[in-house]
Amino acid sequence: MGIVAGLDSSPDFTRIVVCDTDTGAVLRQGYAPHPVEPAEGGGRPSDVDPQAWLLSLGEAAGGGLLEGVQAIGVSAQQNALVPLDSQGNTVRPALVGGDKRAQVAAADLIDALGGREAWAQAVGCVPQAAQPVTKLRWMNRTEPDSAQRTAVLLQAHDWLVWQLLGRPTRRTTDRGGASGTGYWSAASGGYRPDLVELALGHQAMLPDVLGPSDAAGTTPEGLLISAGTGETMAAAFGLGIGLGDAVVSLGASGSVMAVHPEALVDATGMITSLADATGMHLPVVTTLNAVRALRGAAELLGLPDLESLSDLAMKSTPGSHGLVMLPYLEGERTPNLPHTAGTLAGLRRESMRPEHLARAAFEGMLCGLADALDVLRGRGVDVRRIFLLGAAAELPAVQAAAPALFGVQVVVVQPADYAALGAARQAAWALGVSQGTLDPRTPPMWQGAVAQVLEPGEELAVGQAVRQQYVSVREQTHPGAFRA
């Protein structure tokens, strides 16, 4: 069929892969950082001019990278809100990332609709500071002039697709991107304009939601642009996960997501009900503490890095000689204990050794993620295989403990640009449908990720005992934290 491209506009850079349409083999790739000044203190800024994304895209695509490409898919950072005026110009810089300024606005919105359960029923998620709906409320409260001028609401991938197509009258998004806004329901497949008005103070134009294999349009040069999607959905599509698969991401915080045939409404708000890039659903459960618990343990033990912590943990044994760490260092979201602290339990003279504390940090982190996994399993989500992502997935202590604690096969994939690959696969799907060679309901079958497969094997019973030890401490310390 030819070649297609996928571009991923992450918070920090643009990465482009050019792939063979039939196999997904990467033929060429490009990269460029976003020309964005860091925030005060060196962190990521909360306000970014979207033109930076376009400049980065142009640089990444330099040197004839896209020569011969027939279709492009766009993946981009989620929760980046681009407010436009009636002329299509940005009202203010895009509001990006987990914007702490909007925390009060999130609480306001929850109260305004009647609580967490009301939001879960309405759109499958409870407002958080990062979400576009919350950023609208913040803008309405703190920048009323900007709010008043806002006539069109786009997210990062919507805006990039619109720019690539030459800023047509019609603006589009996809189910995956729309499901993270806080004003589109994955369960009903429709917008809730009343929630936009609740947050912004008035109605605004919202992009048309395309199907997974639909094209957003064709550039004047004849290049097909697929629907695009959010980074999480693109990465899941690039990995090739399907029913029975879950993805556990090990960042400073952690997340567990799985493919499911229907949207899940969770009254507790622990599940965020997203849509994926294939027409299925992608329920996500987030923990606030994953690798940050490992980093805290390494600092406490005077170790220079996580590799040293892993080496030390491997000198201990499963169960850490009875030492249990509840890793709630930043409070916790799963379970919902925002104001709590971490706990170290089971201190005995024989357990007070550095290697046991190191092992307890790894087991605590993984047991916290297993709790998140159980939230999904408790709602009927089938999990037979887990993809483990993040640099920490390479650590021997993680690989030694994870299969037995999760109780299923664990797949550790080699690092790759999975969001860009997912965007390219989406482009190949839209191209094939437009040419009549692919079914709109069945994406192209590409080669799977290169991975190491770990089985629980004989360690399964030991893992279950360690997990039970953790659950007992959690229930004693925070009784009823996982109420139904």
Side-chain angles (χ1 to χ4, degrees):
M1 281 170 60
I3 58 174
V4 292
L7 74 87
D8 175 37
S9 181
S10 84
D12 300 314
F13 57 79
T14 299
R15 199 176 292 279
I16 302 176
V17 295
V18 176
C19 299
D20 179 274
T21 311
D22 294 322
T23 65
V26 177
L27 308 174
R28 318 189 274 270
Q29 45 194 318
Y31 166 88
H34 293 325
V36 171
E37 292 293 320
E40 286 183 32
R44 287 177 182 157
S46 298
D47 298 316
V48 173
D49 183 348
Q51 293 296 328
W53 308 333
L54 273 187
L55 291 168
S56 171
L57 192 165
E59 187 181 338
L65 184 77
L66 299 179
E67 195 173 319
V69 165
Q70 295 166 276
I72 293 180
V74 177
S75 152
Q77 60 179 305
Q78 284 154 244
N79 299 320
L81 177 69
V82 187
L84 304 179
D85 64 19
S86 56
Q87 308 303 310
N89 301 312
T90 50
V91 167
R92 68 175 317 284
L95 291 144
V96 300
D99 198 333
K100 290 188 175 178
R101 296 175 301 183
Q103 285 173 339
V104 172
D108 281 352
L109 280 176
I110 293 168
D111 290 344
L113 196 66
R116 298 168 68 85
E117 186 170 356
W119 278 96
Q121 293 287 346
V123 287
C125 59
V126 176
Q128 298 148 35
Q131 281 182 299
V133 71
T134 308
K135 289 168 177 170
L136 290 178
R137 180 76 161 197
W138 175 85
M139 189 165 62
N140 186 18
R141 290 287 188 265
T142 59
E143 299 179 1
D145 290 346
S146 296
Q148 197 58 44
R149 289 169 50 220
T150 298
V152 182
L153 300 177
L154 297 180
Q155 293 188 89
H157 90 261
D158 313 336
W159 188 85
L160 285 165
V161 165
W162 183 57
Q163 295 290 334
L164 288 172
L165 290 172
R167 296 164 62 106
T169 305
R170 185 191 189 209
R171 300 171 181 92
T172 61
T173 189
D174 85 307
R175 295 169 66 255
S179 66
T181 59
Y183 42 81
W184 186 87
S185 166
S188 69
Y191 281 115
R192 287 288 302 265
D194 58 314
L195 299 183
V196 173
E197 187 165 353
L198 180 70
L200 185 62
H202 61 88
Q203 293 291 342
M205 188 177 290
L206 302 169
D208 293 346
V209 181
L210 300 177
S213 61
D214 291 345
T218 306
T219 68
E221 299 77 30
L223 195 63
L224 189 82
I225 308 293
S226 63
T229 195
E231 223 168 13
T232 297
M233 299 80 188
F237 196 41
L239 280 167
I241 68 168
L243 290 171
D245 292 333
V247 176
V248 174
S249 295
L250 302 177
S253 54
S255 68
V256 178
M257 64 180 177
V259 180
H260 197 57
E262 59 191 35
L264 296 178
V265 174
D266 174 48
T268 68
M270 282 194 288
I271 298 174
T272 298
S273 194
L274 300 177
D276 79 348
T278 72
M280 302 282 271
H281 295 269
L282 205 61
V284 180
V285 179
T286 303
T287 68
L288 294 182
N289 302 278
V291 175
R292 65 166 39 101
L294 302 184
R295 296 204 182 282
E299 288 170 15
L300 184 64
L301 292 166
L303 298 172
D305 50 42
L306 297 187
E307 288 74 17
S308 303
L309 185 72
S310 173
D311 292 344
L312 184 61
M314 293 299 283
K315 295 176 181 174
S316 182
T317 52
S320 311
H321 272 244
L323 213 53
V324 175
M325 179 186 287
L326 302 183
Y328 305 155
L329 308 185
E330 294 281 323
E332 190 46 81
R333 189 175 155 198
T334 307
N336 185 31
L337 298 166
H339 306 299
T340 194
T343 301
L344 192 60
L347 286 168
R348 298 180 186 277
R349 181 64 191 88
E350 61 271 19
S351 66
M352 295 176 73
R353 298 184 59 83
E355 62 266 30
H356 302 325
L357 176 57
R359 177 91 188 195
F362 282 96
E363 290 177 345
M365 174 187 77
L366 292 169
C367 284
L369 289 160
D371 278 350
L373 198 60
D374 282 351
V375 171
L376 294 178
R377 284 173 166 151
R379 295 299 308 278
V381 177
D382 182 27
V383 178
R384 298 188 300 273
R385 179 173 65 163
I386 287 173
F387 286 77
L388 203 55
L389 301 185
E394 302 288 334
L395 296 171
V398 169
Q399 296 189 7
L405 291 176
F406 292 147
V408 292
Q409 183 186 84
V410 170
V411 179
V412 182
V413 296
Q414 281 192 0
D417 305 314
Y418 291 109
L421 286 167
R425 189 179 176 206
Q426 188 195 64
W429 193 7
L431 180 65
V433 169
S434 76
Q435 295 174 337
T437 57
L438 286 178
D439 187 319
R441 295 159 299 180
T442 309
M445 297 300 293
W446 279 11
Q447 56 201 17
V450 178
Q452 179 183 3
V453 178
L454 309 169
E455 302 283 356
E458 296 174 359
E459 295 293 313
L460 185 57
V462 175
Q464 288 175 329
V466 173
R467 183 82 207 290
Q468 189 51 53
Q469 178 178 267
Y470 176 91
V471 170
S472 295
V473 171
R474 189 198 68 219
E475 279 301 303
Q476 287 165 14
T477 312
H478 305 287
F482 277 104
R483 64 189 184 281

